[in-house]
């Protein structure tokens, strides 16, 4: 770091020591990953990741992204549960209405009534399935958008391996990188280095 204003030789040494420490820890943690991903994580990539982690900012970014993701997941789960509850209430109301109608129905109209009720029940079930399907599509789309937002944020933060992609292999690699970052953060936090 010689030649940079405001950076002393002591700062440079501490910076270099921290880089080597992080790189060493990452190399140890990588051994827990599947072989196919170990091979894709070059020494250079791990070195770049160690550099990105030096000041702790990436840890804060990842934690913030995790918090947002958990809140989003909880919100979407609550929306789906609410829809499910509304559907259950609709079904119960319909069953109650049908039961009341059967009790007050004249016997000669019973076959027609039951036929109409069956059609009404099937119509409600179709509506419920369609609303659930639409809710599930909304959930998937929102989670896909969260992934894109996370990739974009981490790419802008200079974290190696992060860019916007839908390629399953690249997504798995990014998840493995996040796992490394989180494990290293946890280890540093437990040892009081953060």
């Amino acid at each position: 770091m010689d030649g940079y204003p405001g950076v002393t030789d002591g700062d440079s040494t501490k910076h270099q020591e921290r880089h080597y420490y992080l790189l060493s820890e990452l190399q140890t943690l990588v051994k827990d990953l599947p072989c196919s991903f170990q091979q894709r994580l070059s020494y250079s990539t791990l070195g770049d990741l160690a550099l990105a982690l030096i000041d702790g900012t990436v840890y804060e970014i990842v934690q913030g992204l995790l918090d947002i993701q958990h809140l989003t997941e909880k919100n979407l789960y609550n929306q789906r549960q609410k829809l499910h509850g509304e559907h259950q209430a609709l079904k119960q109301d319909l069953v109650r209405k049908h039961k009341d109608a059967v009790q007050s129905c004249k016997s000669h109209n019973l076959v027609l009534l039951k036929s109409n009720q069956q059609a009404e029940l099937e119509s409600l079930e179709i509506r419920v399935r369609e609303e659930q399907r639409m809710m599930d599509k909304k959930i998937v789309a929102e989670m896909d958008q969260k992934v894109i937002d996370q990739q974009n944020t981490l790419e802008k933060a200079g974290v190696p391996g992060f860019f916007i992609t839908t390629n399953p292999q690249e997504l798995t690699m990014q998840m493995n990188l996040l796992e490394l970052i989180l494990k290293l953060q946890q280890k540093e936090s437990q040892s009081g280095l953060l």
Side-chain angles (χ1 to χ4, degrees), residues 8-19:
T8 66
D9 285 338
D11 289 341
S12 176
T13 303
K14 285 180 187 173
H15 188 271
Q16 202 167 24
E17 286 173 3
R18 177 136 173 85
H19 180 251

Side-chain angles (χ1 to χ4, degrees), residues 85-99:
E86 290 168 1
H87 288 157
Q88 290 299 104
L90 285 172
K91 287 178 187 177
Q92 288 173 354
D93 288 346
L94 189 60
V95 166
R96 195 171 16 262
K97 182 179 125 188
H98 286 177
K99 197 176 191 181

Side-chain angles (χ1 to χ4, degrees), residues 19-24 26-27 30 37-51 160:
H19 180 251
Y20 287 138
Y21 163 77
L22 291 169
L23 181 56
S24 173
L26 286 169
Q27 287 173 315
V30 162
F37 293 105
Q38 287 182 31
Q39 293 167 353
R40 291 190 59 205
L41 286 172
S42 68
Y43 181 83
S44 172
T45 303
L46 291 177
D48 291 345
L49 181 57
L51 277 174

Side-chain angles (χ1 to χ4, degrees), residues 111-123:
V111 171
L112 180 61
L113 177 67
K114 288 207 174 222
S115 174
N116 288 342
Q117 287 180 340
Q118 184 62 33
E120 195 176 8
L121 184 59
E122 287 171 6
S123 175

Side-chain angles (χ1 to χ4, degrees), residues 6 21 49 83 88 91 111 135-136 149 152 154 159 166 182-183 186 191:
Y21 163 77
L49 181 57
L83 182 66
Q88 290 299 104
K91 287 178 187 177
V111 171
M135 173 61 79
D136 290 344
D149 294 346
N152 189 36
L154 291 167
V159 182
T166 56
L182 290 169
K183 283 182 176 178
Q186 183 179 22
S191 64

